[in-house]
Amino acid sequence: MIFNPQAECMDRAGLRRLQGERLSDAARRAYENVPFYRKKFDEHGVKPQDIRRIEDVGKLPFTTKEDFRDTYPFGLFAVPLRDIVRVQASSGTTGKPTVVGYTKEDIEIWSEAIARTLGCGGGAAEDVLQVAYGYGLFTGGLGLHYGGEKLGATVIPMSGGNTKKQIMLMQDFGTTLLACTPSYSLQIAEEAAADGVDLRKLKTGYFGAEPWSETMRGQIEHRLPLKAIDIYGLSEVIGPGVSSECLEQDGLHVFEDHFFPEIIDPNTGEPVGPGQKGELVFTCLTKRSTPLIRYRTRDVSSLNEAPCPCRRTSRRMARITGRTDDMLIIRGVNVFPSQIEHVLMDIEHVEPHYVIVVDKTGALDELEIKVEVSEHLFSDEVRKLEALRQRIAGEMRSVLGVSTRITLVEPKTIERGLGKAKRVIDRRELK
Amino acid sequence: MLVKQLSIFMENRAGRLAEIARLLGDAGVNIRALSLADTSDFGILRLIVNDVKRAMRILRDSGRTVSLTDVVAVEVPDHPGGLAGVLERLRDANVNVEYMYAFVEKATDNAVVIFRFEDIENALKVLQRAGISVLSAETVSSL
């Protein structure tokens, strides 16, 4: 179902004109109302009048995560606090959280974006949406909640955790749409299977807030009777609802009449060619609280301009394949945790539960990957388990270009993520 | 003629074996024989128990990775050269042993050797032809 056909199926030329008008307005609002941006524009030698068309976006300076920290808590707001009706925040791993604000109009934009997201996955007013993202400062829970109401669906505000109750309500209320992290959906699947619960009313799962892979999608769709849809967003931009896969499951439609995407080379800041991989950058064209200008997400993706069979005309971003900042440097070689995940997922029957441990012995970096042994994988002969271990190590070596140590661990020893699964433990800094 | 052996994946960590033994003990499962194959990181615990189904359920419920393996229990005369005699027959018939472990029967003068063969059917034929006594699952669990 296309929630807003007029916006989502707009012809490309019309869309670019609209984006140009909105960008020009956003640049003006940023310059006039946010001292931080006025200073930044001035230093960069750009004036709001220079921004007339969407092509002018490259003239603007970037905004980074550090800028949020430096202006904490409300320094990026372009409106007085009396117009802000909500704040949300993302947990900073160190120090202060990243704070974002919403005006009434922003909440409306956000709800609309999530309603479109739900529509992308086939959701409609008849559906029952169970929101198992955390409620609170995290944007996941409340974002999906308001979007679900905007769509007209029946919303169950379960929040995260309490898996037994989640499963009970899914059964009793006939949940058709499930929104949670992909790793949590596997936990629900595990417990439902263990209790012999039938969840066949499920139709679509809206999964995001942590990196996952195509193979993990296969696992989820194998264990739960639903289509697993990748959704994307970040609180700095709006929260979830920035982009979503449609039922084609081939790239995420960016709701680019509100959130303008670019792909740049993370080292030079220059745009890359069409279809090429690089760092994803967003400009909030319509958000009133903060007209966020060219925000560097540090997520690695690419943009596909080809038309989609679903009729939506927006460009599609590729599933996030890594973070420019969680790149690990192991003995001088760049390693992305996503590569490790890919290798593991491609080996049949390996449960998608693993932890990466980076350590140092002497001067040398050591990369250890702990993999859970499922019953499919288990053999009661040592040499077969050793062979499995060597096979994983061999494939890691050929893909990553560095040798790794593979450790097989008992099932369920690796914590199941309720939020962003912590898959990398870097012990090198502690020494 | 086949005996079901429980195989359990274990990380090489202090106290793992004790946990499993306690779990089975509290459930009233008696361990008849056991062997532990280990590497520096992990081990495989192999158990012959009096109640396979119950043991399997208890271990699975506690989140362990468990599998059932068909093994052969052979009665071997408990005197010098008793085992050698059996092994020579197997060798002469080119029967490959994946692994084996032994325990001594309380009631008789015999030892019991648990064999995991690559080709179980062939191994059983060879043992029968050689007149070597192969114990049934019932016999083993009641030992």
Side-chain angles (χ1 to χ4, degrees), chain A residues 373-376 378-386 389 405-413, chain B residues 5 7-11 16 37 39 41-42 44 46 60 63-67 69 98-99 116:
Chain A
V373 177
S374 65
E375 288 199 359
H376 306 282
F378 179 52
S379 156
D380 90 313
E381 286 167 39
V382 172
R383 79 187 152 86
K384 286 189 185 152
L385 284 181
E386 285 292 357
R389 189 154 82 159
R405 179 185 153 72
I406 308 297
T407 307
L408 303 177
V409 298
E410 289 171 19
K412 296 175 184 158
T413 45
Chain B
Q5 168 198 270
S7 308
I8 303 140
F9 180 80
M10 277 197 329
E11 284 166 42
R16 291 317 260 176
T39 70
D41 292 325
F42 64 85
I44 301 167
R46 300 169 183 139
R60 276 217 173 119
R64 261 98 182 160
T65 299
V66 195
S67 71
T69 313
E98 296 281 357
Y99 56 79
R116 167 72 181 158

Side-chain angles (χ1 to χ4, degrees), chain A residues 35-181:
Chain A
F36 164 85
Y37 273 128
R38 177 180 291 258
K39 186 160 170 275
K40 201 149 187 163
F41 280 33
D42 286 345
E43 282 167 4
H44 205 72
V46 62
K47 292 264 177 275
Q49 305 82 275
D50 302 334
I51 310 300
R52 296 168 185 282
R53 304 171 308 151
I54 193 62
E55 288 76 12
D56 296 329
V57 70
K59 296 176 183 169
L60 294 166
F62 291 114
T63 310
T64 64
K65 181 108 178 163
E66 288 68 43
D67 294 332
F68 275 87
R69 202 161 56 207
D70 296 344
T71 58
Y72 176 87
F74 302 144
L76 286 179
F77 288 1
V79 297
L81 215 50
R82 58 159 293 134
D83 292 341
I84 298 286
V85 298
R86 172 102 65 84
V87 289
Q88 305 269 180
S90 60
S91 51
T93 37
T94 49
K96 303 283 191 183
T98 302
V99 180
V100 290
Y102 301 79
T103 65
K104 268 205 173 104
E105 297 98 307
D106 294 339
I107 295 286
E108 192 51 37
I109 291 167
W110 192 17
S111 307
E112 151 98 21
I114 298 280
R116 290 188 198 177
T117 296
L118 294 169
C120 271
E126 299 77 54
D127 281 300
V128 178
L129 169 68
Q130 187 155 331
V131 180
Y133 284 111
Y135 279 63
L137 286 172
F138 171 56
T139 51
L142 285 164
L144 266 294
H145 183 105
Y146 275 65
E149 289 185 353
K150 174 94 183 169
L151 180 70
T154 308
V155 180
I156 311 172
M158 246 315 280
S159 195
N162 204 348
T163 312
K164 290 258 184 271
K165 190 165 182 186
Q166 299 269 9
I167 293 169
M168 183 185 86
L169 294 190
M170 283 165 88
Q171 251 189 324
D172 295 351
F173 296 176
T175 299
T176 55
L177 313 176
L178 172 66
C180 63
T181 62

Side-chain angles (χ1 to χ4, degrees), chain B residues 1-40:
Chain B
M1 297 314 255
L2 296 179
V3 175
K4 295 283 182 200
Q5 168 198 270
L6 287 170
S7 308
I8 303 140
F9 180 80
M10 277 197 329
E11 284 166 42
N12 236 348
R13 276 196 280 133
R16 291 317 260 176
L17 194 51
E19 279 171 34
I20 292 173
R22 169 55 59 204
L23 212 55
L24 293 176
D26 288 348
V29 173
N30 209 345
I31 299 171
R32 293 289 169 215
L34 74 83
S35 127
L36 183 62
D38 69 321
T39 70
S40 55

